[in-house]
Amino acid sequence: MTSSTLGAIVAEHGGLIQTGPFGSQLHQHEYTEEGVPVVMPKDIRNGRVDEVSVARISERKANELSRHLLKQGSVVFPRRGEISKCAYIDETQTGFLCGTGCIKIEPPEDRLRAKFLFYYLGIRESIKWLERNAVGTTMLNLNTKILGGLPVPSVSVQHQDAIVEILSAYDGLIENNRRRIQLFEESARLLYKEWFMYLRFPGHEHVKVIDGVPEGWERRPLRACATFLSGGTPSKKRSEFWEGDIPWVSSGALTQMRIHRTSLNITAEAVAAGSRLVPQDTVLMVVRGMSLAKELRMGMTARSVAFNQDIKALLAVPDVDPLLLFQSLDNQRESIRERTGDASHGTKKLDTPVLSEVPILVPTDTVQALFRAHVAPLHMQWDTLDQENQLLSRARDLLLPRLMNGELAV
């Protein structure tokens, strides 16, 4: 199959490869609570821009940087770090700003379909090419020239459309499952509020409430409900440490309520040499990093995992159900985040003595068991949907190169 380069296609047929604004064009004080979302490398997840933690700027400032605005069909790339990921901008995210640290590609649609390019950038051969040609050792860096040199297969737009249609069907199923997971998450949150904030738990009509605490319940500090554990990072110089099958969770990877897998995995030897292993049903919480300025990242392990030093692990004590502990902390995310202080280099931290005092309402064993009976199936449902998505992703990723190189007819 013949090929051209991405840069040549853009130069000959129109289109754009452009970096986001430099730091001198967009200062920290110009970020606002409301306004136009600014896409940073950290926001690129699962082929989309995750809007949960995205920073924002005023519309006035966005207008000043209008040439960096994204449109439907833009493909956004990290300029440094995890250069193996990218995001496709659909109609719901049109008008977002390509931020500092990102590169946007707007291919000429009559020659190179944006969605086809997005899928092509996800195949192993493309990722390996970018990694080989990126600059830097400790952190890989891209620029418009490097990205423009990427070989792109020369296939008709009709063939591109056929490939996109096949792969988009898988993505549609994956996205549907993600929406269902969000519904299960919200159901668990609503049930917790109903039972433990509004105190409309089963049998509440027959229980006396004194100062907001039902009879037989107690309000405890978090230190009396969980054991606190710290993590660590194994030596990056020992490559063999990073070739295992134990998920290693960093603050950047803690973006889901249920933690099943991460992009980095370590060996048991690496755990012993610099990290820590915790079991299923452990709460992991980010306690240091810039993300604390906007959100409190937290999740519950669906399997045994290791984690780094920016995260604190909370193991429920025997008389506190782990699911109850997690939902209680999830319900207090914002109030906990407001307890953060400043660390070095402008980052945020959540000190253990401060976290230890977070109040937890602990009901009777009977109510805890009833709550678990209602919530555990929800967690199991989104575990099942996550597994389905993994199978769908693998099937799609197996099809990708075979469709691209013509091994499979379309």
Side-chain angles (χ1 to χ4, degrees), residues 155-197:
V155 296
S156 68
V157 291
Q158 291 80 11
H159 192 76
Q160 293 178 39
D161 289 340
I163 290 174
V164 167
E165 184 178 359
I166 293 170
L167 298 176
S168 293
Y170 284 87
D171 281 342
L173 293 171
I174 291 170
E175 184 58 31
N176 184 57
N177 281 346
R178 285 185 186 140
R179 286 195 292 267
R180 292 176 64 192
I181 288 172
Q182 290 174 349
L183 290 174
F184 288 130
E185 291 173 353
E186 189 59 26
S187 294
R189 289 188 175 112
L190 291 174
L191 185 67
Y192 180 87
K193 290 180 179 179
E194 181 74 9
W195 285 29
F196 303 113
M197 288 184 65

Side-chain angles (χ1 to χ4, degrees), residues 110-129:
D110 60 346
R111 174 66 175 79
L112 178 60
R113 302 294 202 221
K115 198 65 177 286
F116 175 84
L117 175 63
F118 165 74
Y119 283 127
Y120 178 71
L121 289 167
I123 67 174
R124 181 178 177 83
E125 289 79 0
S126 298
I127 293 170
K128 290 299 182 184
W129 188 94

Side-chain angles (χ1 to χ4, degrees), residues 243-347:
E243 298 172 351
D245 58 3
I246 299 171
W248 181 77
V249 185
S250 65
S251 58
L254 194 52
T255 59
Q256 306 293 329
M257 286 184 70
R258 297 283 290 177
I259 305 163
H260 301 90
R261 69 197 59 80
T262 60
S263 59
L264 296 174
N265 296 278
I266 61 175
T267 62
E269 291 75 19
V271 172
S275 191
R276 187 188 294 271
L277 193 68
V278 291
Q280 179 180 335
D281 288 347
T282 299
V283 179
L284 297 185
M285 182 183 295
V286 173
V287 294
R288 186 174 63 185
M290 283 307 299
S291 65
L292 284 169
K294 290 285 185 181
E295 61 174 340
L296 178 66
R297 294 183 180 178
M298 182 175 66
M300 190 166 203
T301 60
R303 56 170 294 183
S304 294
V305 304
F307 58 103
N308 78 356
Q309 62 275 10
D310 293 335
I311 293 173
K312 192 70 70 176
L314 307 176
L315 276 69
V317 298
D319 66 339
V320 176
D321 188 278
L323 293 180
L324 174 73
L325 178 67
F326 173 76
Q327 296 296 160
S328 176
L329 292 169
D330 178 64
N331 188 60
Q332 300 182 74
R333 279 182 192 253
E334 188 54 30
S335 64
I336 296 173
R337 191 193 67 80
E338 290 173 353
R339 299 171 184 236
T340 58
D342 293 325
S344 59
H345 307 295
T347 59

Side-chain angles (χ1 to χ4, degrees), residues 181-251:
I181 288 172
Q182 290 174 349
L183 290 174
F184 288 130
E185 291 173 353
E186 189 59 26
S187 294
R189 289 188 175 112
L190 291 174
L191 185 67
Y192 180 87
K193 290 180 179 179
E194 181 74 9
W195 285 29
F196 303 113
M197 288 184 65
Y198 310 135
L199 298 180
R200 292 195 286 261
F201 54 92
H204 68 91
E205 306 93 336
H206 312 295
V207 179
K208 185 183 295 185
V209 177
I210 302 173
D211 295 329
V213 180
E215 190 173 21
W217 297 27
E218 57 181 323
R219 197 178 298 279
R220 300 184 198 168
L222 181 56
R223 55 182 160 77
C225 298
T227 300
F228 290 47
L229 297 174
S230 299
T233 302
S235 173
K236 293 290 182 73
K237 295 179 181 178
R238 299 280 300 275
S239 60
E240 69 273 17
F241 279 175
W242 301 88
E243 298 172 351
D245 58 3
I246 299 171
W248 181 77
V249 185
S250 65
S251 58

Side-chain angles (χ1 to χ4, degrees), residues 27-97:
H27 301 283
Q28 188 65 38
H29 70 270
E30 293 179 299
Y31 290 100
T32 59
E33 288 296 321
E34 302 292 334
V36 177
V38 181
V39 181
M40 304 292 190
K42 67 178 179 59
D43 304 313
I44 299 174
R45 302 187 187 116
N46 301 313
R48 283 182 54 80
V49 174
D50 189 336
E51 300 177 41
V52 173
S53 61
V54 70
R56 296 173 184 271
I57 58 173
S58 67
E59 290 192 15
R60 178 192 61 78
K61 186 62 181 179
N63 288 334
E64 292 178 12
L65 301 170
S66 59
R67 74 189 191 94
H68 298 290
L69 292 174
L70 301 169
K71 63 181 184 181
Q72 182 175 353
S74 296
V75 179
V76 189
F77 238 94
R79 194 157 53 88
R80 62 179 72 91
E82 294 184 73
I83 61 172
S84 62
K85 63 181 184 179
C86 61
Y88 176 82
I89 304 301
D90 62 18
E91 66 278 2
T92 66
Q93 298 182 333
T94 298
F96 286 19
L97 190 84

Side-chain angles (χ1 to χ4, degrees), residues 364-399:
T364 62
D365 291 346
T366 300
V367 173
Q368 288 194 54
L370 284 170
F371 182 71
R372 183 175 188 87
H374 281 76
V375 174
L378 298 176
H379 282 249
M380 291 175 64
Q381 285 272 22
W382 69 63
D383 283 350
T384 299
L385 290 172
D386 181 85
Q387 291 169 5
E388 286 183 11
N389 276 358
Q390 286 304 302
L391 293 173
L392 288 167
S393 295
R394 287 173 191 161
R396 180 200 60 200
D397 294 345
L398 285 171
L399 278 175

